Coordinates of all heavy atoms in Angstrom, one line a residue:
M1 N 4.7 -12.1 6.7 CA 4.1 -10.8 6.7 C 2.6 -11.1 7.0 O 1.9 -11.8 6.2 CB 4.2 -10.2 5.3 CG 5.6 -9.9 4.9 SD 6.0 -8.3 5.6 CE 7.7 -8.4 5.6
R2 N 2.2 -10.4 8.0 CA 0.8 -10.7 8.5 C -0.3 -10.1 7.6 O -1.3 -10.7 7.5 CB 0.7 -10.1 9.9 CG -0.5 -10.5 10.6 CD -0.5 -10.1 12.0 NE -1.7 -10.6 12.6 CZ -1.9 -10.8 13.9 NH1 -0.9 -10.7 14.7 NH2 -3.1 -11.2 14.3
Y3 N -0.1 -8.9 7.1 CA -1.2 -8.2 6.4 C -0.9 -8.1 4.9 O -1.5 -7.3 4.2 CB -1.3 -6.8 7.0 CG -1.5 -6.7 8.4 CD1 -0.6 -6.3 9.3 CD2 -2.7 -7.2 9.0 CE1 -0.7 -6.3 10.7 CE2 -2.9 -7.2 10.4 CZ -1.9 -6.8 11.2 OH -2.1 -6.8 12.6
A4 N 0.0 -8.9 4.4 CA 0.4 -8.9 3.0 C -0.8 -9.1 2.1 O -0.9 -8.5 1.0 CB 1.5 -9.8 2.7
R5 N -1.6 -10.1 2.4 CA -2.7 -10.5 1.5 C -3.7 -9.3 1.3 O -4.0 -9.0 0.1 CB -3.5 -11.6 2.1 CG -4.7 -12.0 1.2 CD -5.4 -13.2 1.8 NE -4.4 -14.3 1.7 CZ -4.7 -15.6 1.9 NH1 -5.9 -15.9 2.2 NH2 -3.8 -16.5 1.9
E6 N -4.0 -8.6 2.3 CA -5.0 -7.5 2.2 C -4.3 -6.3 1.4 O -5.0 -5.7 0.6 CB -5.4 -7.0 3.6 CG -6.3 -8.0 4.3 CD -5.5 -9.0 5.1 OE1 -4.3 -9.1 5.0 OE2 -6.2 -9.8 5.8
V7 N -3.1 -6.0 1.7 CA -2.4 -4.9 1.0 C -2.3 -5.2 -0.5 O -2.6 -4.4 -1.3 CB -1.0 -4.6 1.6 CG1 -0.2 -3.6 0.8 CG2 -1.2 -4.2 3.1
I8 N -1.9 -6.5 -0.8 CA -1.8 -6.8 -2.2 C -3.1 -6.8 -2.9 O -3.3 -6.4 -4.1 CB -1.1 -8.2 -2.3 CG1 0.4 -8.0 -1.9 CG2 -1.2 -8.7 -3.8 CD1 1.1 -9.4 -1.8
D9 N -4.2 -7.3 -2.2 CA -5.5 -7.3 -2.8 C -6.0 -5.9 -3.1 O -6.5 -5.6 -4.2 CB -6.5 -7.9 -1.8 CG -6.4 -9.4 -1.8 OD1 -5.8 -10.0 -2.6 OD2 -7.0 -10.0 -0.8
L10 N -5.7 -4.9 -2.2 CA -6.1 -3.6 -2.5 C -5.3 -2.9 -3.6 O -5.9 -2.4 -4.5 CB -6.0 -2.7 -1.2 CG -6.3 -1.3 -1.3 CD1 -7.8 -1.0 -1.7 CD2 -6.0 -0.5 -0.1
L11 N -4.0 -2.9 -3.5 CA -3.2 -2.3 -4.5 C -3.2 -2.9 -5.8 O -3.2 -2.3 -6.9 CB -1.7 -2.2 -4.0 CG -1.5 -1.4 -2.7 CD1 0.0 -1.5 -2.3 CD2 -1.9 0.1 -2.9
G12 N -3.3 -4.3 -5.9 CA -3.4 -5.0 -7.1 C -4.7 -4.8 -7.9 O -4.7 -4.9 -9.1
A13 N -5.7 -4.5 -7.1 CA -7.0 -4.3 -7.8 C -7.1 -3.0 -8.6 O -7.9 -2.9 -9.5 CB -8.2 -4.4 -6.8
Y14 N -6.3 -2.1 -8.2 CA -6.3 -0.7 -8.8 C -4.9 -0.4 -9.2 O -4.3 0.5 -8.6 CB -6.8 0.3 -7.9 CG -8.2 0.0 -7.4 CD1 -8.4 -0.6 -6.1 CD2 -9.3 0.3 -8.2 CE1 -9.7 -0.8 -5.7 CE2 -10.6 0.0 -7.8 CZ -10.8 -0.6 -6.5 OH -12.1 -0.9 -6.1
P15 N -4.3 -1.0 -10.2 CA -2.9 -0.7 -10.6 C -2.8 0.8 -11.1 O -3.7 1.2 -11.9 CB -2.6 -1.7 -11.7 CG -3.9 -2.2 -12.2 CD -4.8 -2.0 -11.1
G16 N -1.8 1.5 -10.7 CA -1.5 2.8 -11.1 C -2.2 3.9 -10.3 O -2.0 5.1 -10.4
R17 N -3.1 3.5 -9.4 CA -3.9 4.4 -8.6 C -3.0 4.7 -7.3 O -2.5 3.8 -6.7 CB -5.2 3.9 -8.2 CG -6.0 4.8 -7.3 CD -7.4 4.3 -6.9 NE -7.9 5.0 -5.8 CZ -8.9 4.7 -5.1 NH1 -9.5 3.5 -5.3 NH2 -9.3 5.4 -4.1
D18 N -3.0 6.0 -6.9 CA -2.3 6.4 -5.7 C -3.1 6.1 -4.4 O -4.3 6.4 -4.4 CB -1.9 7.8 -5.7 CG -0.9 8.1 -6.8 OD1 -0.2 7.2 -7.3 OD2 -0.7 9.3 -7.2
F19 N -2.4 5.5 -3.4 CA -3.1 5.3 -2.1 C -2.2 5.9 -1.0 O -1.0 5.8 -1.0 CB -3.2 3.8 -1.8 CG -4.2 3.1 -2.7 CD1 -3.9 2.4 -3.8 CD2 -5.5 3.1 -2.2 CE1 -4.8 1.8 -4.6 CE2 -6.5 2.4 -3.0 CZ -6.1 1.8 -4.2
K20 N -2.9 6.6 -0.1 CA -2.3 7.2 1.1 C -2.1 6.0 2.0 O -2.9 5.1 2.0 CB -3.1 8.2 1.7 CG -3.4 9.5 0.8 CD -4.3 10.4 1.6 CE -4.7 11.6 0.7 NZ -5.6 12.5 1.4
P21 N -1.1 6.1 2.9 CA -1.0 5.0 3.9 C -2.2 4.8 4.8 O -2.6 3.7 5.1 CB 0.3 5.4 4.7 CG 1.0 6.3 3.8 CD 0.0 7.0 2.9
G22 N -2.8 5.9 5.1 CA -4.0 5.8 6.0 C -5.2 5.1 5.3 O -5.9 4.3 6.0
H23 N -5.3 5.2 4.0 CA -6.4 4.5 3.3 C -6.1 3.0 3.3 O -7.0 2.2 3.5 CB -6.5 4.9 1.9 CG -7.1 6.3 1.7 ND1 -6.8 7.1 0.6 CD2 -7.9 7.0 2.5 CE1 -7.4 8.2 0.8 NE2 -8.1 8.2 1.9
I24 N -4.8 2.6 3.2 CA -4.4 1.2 3.2 C -4.7 0.6 4.6 O -5.2 -0.5 4.7 CB -3.0 1.1 2.8 CG1 -2.8 1.6 1.3 CG2 -2.5 -0.4 2.9 CD1 -1.4 1.7 0.9
V25 N -4.3 1.4 5.6 CA -4.5 0.9 7.0 C -6.0 0.7 7.3 O -6.4 -0.3 7.9 CB -3.8 1.8 8.0 CG1 -4.2 1.5 9.4 CG2 -2.3 1.8 7.9
R26 N -6.8 1.6 6.9 CA -8.3 1.5 7.1 C -8.9 0.3 6.4 O -9.7 -0.4 6.9 CB -9.0 2.8 6.7 CG -8.9 3.9 7.8 CD -9.9 5.0 7.5 NE -9.6 5.7 6.3 CZ -8.7 6.7 6.2 NH1 -8.1 7.1 7.2 NH2 -8.5 7.3 5.0
Y27 N -8.4 0.1 5.2 CA -8.9 -1.1 4.4 C -8.5 -2.4 5.1 O -9.3 -3.3 5.3 CB -8.3 -1.1 3.0 CG -8.7 -2.3 2.2 CD1 -9.9 -2.4 1.6 CD2 -7.8 -3.4 2.1 CE1 -10.3 -3.5 0.9 CE2 -8.1 -4.5 1.3 CZ -9.4 -4.6 0.7 OH -9.8 -5.7 0.0
V28 N -7.3 -2.5 5.6 CA -6.8 -3.7 6.2 C -7.6 -3.9 7.6 O -8.0 -5.0 7.9 CB -5.3 -3.7 6.5 CG1 -4.8 -4.9 7.3 CG2 -4.6 -3.7 5.1
A29 N -7.8 -2.8 8.3 CA -8.5 -2.9 9.6 C -9.9 -3.4 9.4 O -10.5 -4.1 10.1 CB -8.5 -1.5 10.3
A30 N -10.6 -2.9 8.3 CA -12.0 -3.3 8.0 C -12.0 -4.8 7.6 O -13.0 -5.5 8.0 CB -12.5 -2.5 6.9
Q31 N -11.0 -5.3 6.9 CA -10.9 -6.7 6.5 C -10.6 -7.6 7.7 O -11.1 -8.8 7.8 CB -9.9 -6.9 5.4 CG -10.1 -6.2 4.2 CD -11.4 -6.6 3.5 OE1 -11.7 -7.8 3.4 NE2 -12.2 -5.6 3.1
R32 N -9.9 -7.1 8.7 CA -9.4 -8.0 9.8 C -10.3 -7.8 11.1 O -10.1 -8.5 12.0 CB -8.0 -7.6 10.1 CG -7.0 -8.1 9.1 CD -6.7 -9.5 9.4 NE -5.5 -9.9 8.6 CZ -4.7 -10.8 8.9 NH1 -4.8 -11.5 10.0 NH2 -3.8 -11.2 8.1
C33 N -11.0 -6.7 11.1 CA -11.8 -6.3 12.3 C -10.9 -6.2 13.6 O -11.3 -6.7 14.6 CB -12.9 -7.3 12.6 SG -14.1 -7.4 11.2
E34 N -9.8 -5.6 13.4 CA -8.8 -5.4 14.5 C -8.9 -4.0 15.0 O -9.1 -3.1 14.2 CB -7.4 -5.7 14.1 CG -7.2 -7.2 13.9 CD -5.7 -7.5 13.7 OE1 -4.9 -6.8 14.2 OE2 -5.5 -8.6 13.1
L35 N -8.8 -3.8 16.3 CA -8.9 -2.5 16.9 C -7.6 -2.0 17.3 O -7.5 -0.8 17.8 CB -9.8 -2.6 18.1 CG -11.3 -3.0 17.8 CD1 -12.1 -3.2 19.1 CD2 -11.9 -2.1 16.8
V36 N -6.5 -2.8 17.2 CA -5.2 -2.3 17.7 C -4.5 -1.6 16.5 O -3.8 -2.2 15.7 CB -4.4 -3.5 18.2 CG1 -3.0 -3.1 18.7 CG2 -5.2 -4.3 19.2
R37 N -4.7 -0.3 16.4 CA -4.2 0.4 15.3 C -2.7 0.5 15.2 O -2.2 0.4 14.1 CB -4.8 1.8 15.4 CG -5.6 2.5 14.4 CD -5.9 2.0 13.1 NE -6.8 3.0 12.6 CZ -7.8 2.7 11.8 NH1 -8.0 1.5 11.4 NH2 -8.6 3.6 11.4
P38 N -2.0 0.8 16.3 CA -0.5 0.9 16.1 C 0.1 -0.4 15.6 O 1.0 -0.3 14.7 CB 0.0 1.2 17.5 CG -1.2 1.8 18.2 CD -2.4 1.1 17.6
R39 N -0.3 -1.5 16.1 CA 0.3 -2.8 15.6 C 0.0 -3.0 14.1 O 0.8 -3.4 13.3 CB -0.2 -3.9 16.4 CG 0.4 -5.2 16.0 CD -0.1 -6.3 16.9 NE -1.6 -6.5 16.8 CZ -2.3 -7.3 17.5 NH1 -1.7 -8.1 18.4 NH2 -3.6 -7.4 17.3
L40 N -1.3 -2.6 13.8 CA -1.7 -2.8 12.4 C -0.9 -1.8 11.5 O -0.5 -2.2 10.4 CB -3.2 -2.5 12.3 CG -3.8 -2.9 11.0 CD1 -4.9 -3.9 11.2 CD2 -4.4 -1.6 10.4
R41 N -0.7 -0.6 11.9 CA 0.0 0.4 11.1 C 1.5 0.0 10.9 O 2.0 0.1 9.8 CB 0.0 1.7 11.8 CG 0.1 2.9 11.0 CD -0.2 4.2 11.6 NE 0.2 4.3 13.0 CZ -0.7 4.5 14.0 NH1 -2.0 4.7 13.7 NH2 -0.4 4.6 15.3
I42 N 2.1 -0.6 11.9 CA 3.5 -1.1 11.7 C 3.5 -2.3 10.8 O 4.4 -2.3 9.9 CB 4.1 -1.4 13.1 CG1 4.3 -0.1 13.9 CG2 5.4 -2.2 13.0 CD1 4.6 -0.4 15.4
G43 N 2.6 -3.2 10.9 CA 2.6 -4.3 10.0 C 2.3 -4.0 8.6 O 3.0 -4.5 7.7
V44 N 1.4 -3.0 8.3 CA 1.2 -2.6 6.9 C 2.4 -1.9 6.4 O 2.8 -2.0 5.2 CB -0.1 -1.6 6.9 CG1 -0.1 -0.9 5.6 CG2 -1.3 -2.4 7.1
H45 N 3.1 -1.1 7.2 CA 4.3 -0.4 6.8 C 5.4 -1.4 6.4 O 6.1 -1.2 5.4 CB 4.8 0.5 7.9 CG 6.1 1.2 7.6 ND1 6.2 2.1 6.6 CD2 7.4 1.0 8.0 CE1 7.5 2.5 6.5 NE2 8.2 1.9 7.3
R46 N 5.5 -2.5 7.2 CA 6.5 -3.5 6.8 C 6.2 -4.2 5.5 O 7.1 -4.4 4.7 CB 6.6 -4.6 7.9 CG 7.2 -4.1 9.2 CD 7.3 -5.1 10.2 NE 7.9 -4.6 11.4 CZ 7.7 -5.1 12.6 NH1 7.0 -6.2 12.8 NH2 8.3 -4.6 13.7
V47 N 4.9 -4.4 5.2 CA 4.5 -5.0 4.0 C 4.8 -4.1 2.8 O 5.4 -4.5 1.8 CB 3.0 -5.4 4.0 CG1 2.5 -5.8 2.6 CG2 2.8 -6.5 5.0
L48 N 4.5 -2.8 3.0 CA 4.8 -1.8 1.9 C 6.3 -1.7 1.6 O 6.7 -1.6 0.5 CB 4.2 -0.4 2.3 CG 2.6 -0.4 2.3 CD1 2.2 0.9 2.9 CD2 2.1 -0.5 0.9
V49 N 7.1 -1.7 2.7 CA 8.5 -1.6 2.5 C 9.0 -2.8 1.7 O 9.8 -2.7 0.8 CB 9.3 -1.5 3.8 CG1 10.8 -1.7 3.7 CG2 9.0 -0.1 4.4
A50 N 8.6 -4.0 2.0 CA 9.0 -5.2 1.3 C 8.5 -5.2 -0.1 O 9.3 -5.6 -1.0 CB 8.4 -6.4 2.0
L51 N 7.3 -4.7 -0.4 CA 6.8 -4.6 -1.8 C 7.6 -3.6 -2.6 O 7.8 -3.8 -3.8 CB 5.3 -4.3 -1.8 CG 4.4 -5.5 -1.3 CD1 3.0 -5.0 -1.2 CD2 4.5 -6.6 -2.3
V52 N 8.0 -2.5 -2.0 CA 8.8 -1.5 -2.7 C 10.1 -2.0 -3.0 O 10.6 -1.8 -4.1 CB 8.9 -0.2 -1.8 CG1 9.9 0.8 -2.4 CG2 7.5 0.5 -1.8
E53 N 10.8 -2.7 -2.0 CA 12.1 -3.3 -2.3 C 12.1 -4.4 -3.3 O 13.0 -4.5 -4.1 CB 12.6 -3.9 -1.0 CG 13.0 -2.8 0.0 CD 13.5 -3.4 1.4 OE1 13.4 -4.6 1.5 OE2 14.0 -2.6 2.2
S54 N 11.0 -5.1 -3.5 CA 10.9 -6.2 -4.5 C 10.5 -5.6 -5.8 O 10.6 -6.3 -6.8 CB 9.9 -7.2 -4.1 OG 8.5 -6.7 -4.1
G55 N 10.1 -4.3 -5.9 CA 9.8 -3.7 -7.2 C 8.3 -3.9 -7.6 O 8.0 -3.5 -8.7
Q56 N 7.5 -4.4 -6.8 CA 6.1 -4.5 -7.1 C 5.3 -3.2 -7.0 O 4.3 -3.0 -7.6 CB 5.4 -5.6 -6.3 CG 6.0 -7.0 -6.5 CD 5.8 -7.4 -7.9 OE1 4.8 -7.3 -8.5 NE2 6.9 -8.0 -8.5
V57 N 5.7 -2.4 -6.0 CA 5.0 -1.2 -5.7 C 5.9 0.0 -5.8 O 7.1 -0.1 -5.5 CB 4.5 -1.3 -4.2 CG1 3.9 0.0 -3.7 CG2 3.4 -2.4 -4.1
E58 N 5.4 1.1 -6.3 CA 6.1 2.4 -6.4 C 5.7 3.3 -5.2 O 4.6 3.3 -4.8 CB 5.8 3.1 -7.7 CG 6.3 2.3 -8.9 CD 5.8 3.0 -10.2 OE1 4.9 3.8 -10.2 OE2 6.5 2.8 -11.2
R59 N 6.7 4.0 -4.7 CA 6.5 4.9 -3.6 C 6.9 6.3 -4.1 O 8.0 6.5 -4.5 CB 7.3 4.5 -2.4 CG 7.1 5.5 -1.2 CD 8.1 5.1 -0.1 NE 7.9 5.9 1.0 CZ 8.6 7.0 1.3 NH1 9.5 7.4 0.5 NH2 8.4 7.7 2.4
D60 N 6.0 7.3 -4.0 CA 6.3 8.7 -4.2 C 6.5 9.3 -2.8 O 5.6 9.3 -2.0 CB 5.2 9.4 -4.9 CG 5.2 9.0 -6.4 OD1 6.2 8.5 -6.9 OD2 4.2 9.2 -7.1
P61 N 7.7 9.8 -2.5 CA 8.0 10.4 -1.2 C 7.1 11.7 -1.0 O 6.7 12.3 -2.0 CB 9.5 10.7 -1.3 CG 9.8 10.8 -2.7 CD 8.9 9.9 -3.4
P62 N 7.0 12.1 0.2 CA 6.2 13.3 0.5 C 6.9 14.5 -0.1 O 8.1 14.6 -0.2 CB 6.2 13.4 2.0 CG 7.2 12.4 2.5 CD 7.5 11.4 1.4
G63 N 6.1 15.4 -0.6 CA 6.6 16.6 -1.3 C 7.2 17.6 -0.4 O 8.2 18.3 -0.7
R64 N 6.6 17.8 0.8 CA 7.1 18.8 1.8 C 6.8 18.3 3.2 O 6.1 17.3 3.4 CB 6.4 20.1 1.5 CG 4.9 20.0 1.7 CD 4.3 21.4 1.3 NE 3.1 21.0 1.2 CZ 1.8 21.2 1.4 NH1 1.5 21.7 1.6 NH2 0.7 20.8 1.3
Y65 N 7.3 19.0 4.1 CA 7.2 18.6 5.5 C 5.7 18.6 5.9 O 4.9 19.5 5.6 CB 7.9 19.6 6.4 CG 7.8 19.2 7.9 CD1 8.5 18.1 8.4 CD2 7.0 19.9 8.7 CE1 8.5 17.8 9.7 CE2 6.9 19.6 10.1 CZ 7.6 18.5 10.5 OH 7.5 18.1 11.8
G66 N 5.3 17.5 6.5 CA 3.9 17.4 7.0 C 3.0 16.7 6.0 O 1.8 16.4 6.3
S67 N 3.5 16.4 4.8 CA 2.6 15.7 3.8 C 2.9 14.2 3.9 O 3.6 13.8 4.9 CB 2.9 16.2 2.4 OG 4.2 15.9 2.0
Y68 N 2.4 13.4 3.0 CA 2.5 12.0 3.2 C 3.0 11.4 1.9 O 2.9 12.0 0.8 CB 1.1 11.4 3.5 CG 0.0 12.0 2.5 CD1 -0.2 11.5 1.3 CD2 -0.7 13.1 2.9 CE1 -1.1 12.0 0.4 CE2 -1.6 13.7 2.1 CZ -1.8 13.1 0.8 OH -2.7 13.7 0.0
A69 N 3.5 10.2 1.9 CA 3.9 9.4 0.8 C 2.7 8.8 0.2 O 1.7 8.5 0.8 CB 5.0 8.4 1.1
V70 N 2.8 8.4 -1.1 CA 1.7 7.7 -1.8 C 2.3 6.4 -2.4 O 3.5 6.4 -2.8 CB 0.9 8.5 -2.8 CG1 0.1 9.6 -2.2 CG2 1.9 9.0 -3.9
Y71 N 1.5 5.4 -2.4 CA 2.0 4.1 -2.9 C 1.0 3.7 -4.1 O -0.2 3.9 -4.0 CB 1.9 3.0 -1.8 CG 2.8 3.3 -0.7 CD1 2.4 4.1 0.4 CD2 4.1 2.8 -0.7 CE1 3.3 4.3 1.5 CE2 5.0 3.1 0.4 CZ 4.6 3.8 1.4 OH 5.4 4.1 2.4
R72 N 1.6 3.0 -5.1 CA 0.8 2.5 -6.2 C 1.4 1.2 -6.7 O 2.6 1.0 -6.7 CB 0.7 3.6 -7.3 CG 1.9 3.6 -8.3 CD 1.7 4.6 -9.4 NE 1.6 6.0 -8.9 CZ 2.7 6.7 -8.6 NH1 3.9 6.2 -8.7 NH2 2.6 7.9 -8.1
W73 N 0.5 0.3 -7.2 CA 1.0 -0.9 -7.8 C 1.6 -0.6 -9.1 O 1.1 0.1 -9.9 CB -0.2 -1.9 -8.0 CG 0.2 -3.3 -8.3 CD1 0.3 -3.8 -9.5 CD2 0.6 -4.3 -7.3 NE1 0.7 -5.1 -9.4 CE2 0.9 -5.4 -8.1 CE3 0.7 -4.3 -6.0 CZ2 1.3 -6.6 -7.5 CZ3 1.1 -5.5 -5.4 CH2 1.4 -6.6 -6.1
K74 N 2.8 -1.1 -9.3 CA 3.5 -0.8 -10.5 C 2.9 -1.5 -11.7 O 2.6 -2.7 -11.7 CB 5.0 -1.3 -10.4 CG 5.9 -0.8 -11.5 CD 7.3 -1.3 -11.4 CE 8.1 -0.3 -10.6 NZ 9.5 -0.7 -10.6
T75 N 2.7 -0.7 -12.8 CA 2.1 -1.3 -14.0 C 3.3 -1.5 -15.0 O 4.2 -0.6 -15.1 CB 1.1 -0.3 -14.6 OG1 1.7 0.9 -14.9 CG2 -0.1 -0.2 -13.7
V76 N 3.2 -2.6 -15.7 CA 4.2 -2.9 -16.7 C 3.6 -2.8 -18.1 O 2.6 -3.3 -18.3 CB 4.7 -4.3 -16.5 CG1 5.8 -4.7 -17.5 CG2 5.3 -4.5 -15.1
T77 N 4.3 -2.0 -18.9 CA 3.8 -1.9 -20.3 C 4.8 -2.5 -21.3 O 6.0 -2.6 -21.0 CB 3.6 -0.4 -20.7 OG1 4.9 0.3 -20.5 CG2 2.6 0.2 -19.8
S78 N 4.3 -2.9 -22.4 CA 5.2 -3.5 -23.4 C 5.9 -2.4 -24.2 O 5.6 -1.2 -24.0 CB 4.4 -4.4 -24.3 OG 3.5 -3.6 -25.1
S79 N 6.8 -2.7 -25.1 CA 7.5 -1.8 -25.9 C 6.5 -1.0 -26.8 O 6.8 0.1 -27.2 CB 8.6 -2.4 -26.7 OG 8.0 -3.4 -27.6
R80 N 5.4 -1.6 -27.1 CA 4.4 -0.9 -27.9 C 3.5 0.0 -27.1 O 2.6 0.6 -27.7 CB 3.6 -1.9 -28.7 CG 4.4 -2.6 -29.7 CD 3.5 -3.6 -30.5 NE 3.7 -4.9 -29.9 CZ 2.9 -5.9 -30.0 NH1 1.9 -5.8 -30.8 NH2 3.2 -7.1 -29.5
G81 N 3.6 0.1 -25.8 CA 2.8 0.9 -25.0 C 1.5 0.3 -24.5 O 0.7 0.9 -23.9
E82 N 1.4 -1.0 -24.7 CA 0.2 -1.8 -24.3 C 0.4 -2.3 -22.9 O 1.5 -2.7 -22.6 CB -0.1 -2.9 -25.3 CG -0.4 -2.5 -26.7 CD -0.5 -3.6 -27.6 OE1 -0.2 -4.8 -27.2 OE2 -0.7 -3.4 -28.8
P83 N -0.6 -2.4 -22.1 CA -0.5 -2.9 -20.7 C -0.3 -4.4 -20.7 O -0.6 -5.1 -21.6 CB -1.8 -2.6 -20.0 CG -2.7 -2.0 -21.0 CD -1.9 -1.8 -22.3

C-alpha cells in the first residue's frame, strides 16, 4: 500500500474524528508533493478499504445521493468506559 503511512498518521492522530475522503487525499498530496490526483485518489481509496476490512477504521456511508462517506479511526473502550 503506497499511501498507508500518511493515511494512518492522519486518522490515528485524531481517533473518533470524522474525515471526508477529500480531506484525506489533500493531506496525503501535501505530504507527498504529488500532482497526479487520480492516481493518488485511487491509492488512498485502496488503503481506506483495507483499513475498514481489517477493523481499524469505521466508515459511515453517505446519507443520500450526492453526499459523501466519512471515515474515522476506531476507538476502543474498556468495559468501564475508559479509553
Side-chain angles (χ1 to χ4, degrees):
M1 295 276 157
R2 186 171 184 157
Y3 306 111
R5 178 177 298 192
E6 291 86 355
V7 172
I8 292 171
D9 286 345
L10 176 64
L11 296 178
Y14 303 99
R17 178 179 168 197
D18 293 340
F19 286 95
K20 298 177 186 177
H23 289 155
I24 299 170
V25 169
R26 279 193 295 273
Y27 176 80
V28 173
Q31 298 298 314
R32 290 276 190 153
C33 298
E34 290 190 23
L35 301 175
V36 184
R37 239 350 178 216
R39 182 177 64 184
L40 191 120
R41 205 170 32 242
I42 291 169
V44 167
H45 177 68
R46 288 179 181 160
V47 170
L48 289 171
V49 167
L51 288 172
V52 168
E53 288 176 354
S54 70
Q56 298 297 318
V57 172
E58 295 176 335
R59 177 185 184 266
D60 286 341
R64 61 184 165 136
Y65 182 74
S67 64
Y68 48 85
V70 291
Y71 297 89
R72 82 178 66 79
W73 193 262
K74 188 182 267 188
T75 56
V76 179
T77 58
S78 67
S79 60
R80 290 182 263 163
E82 300 171 356

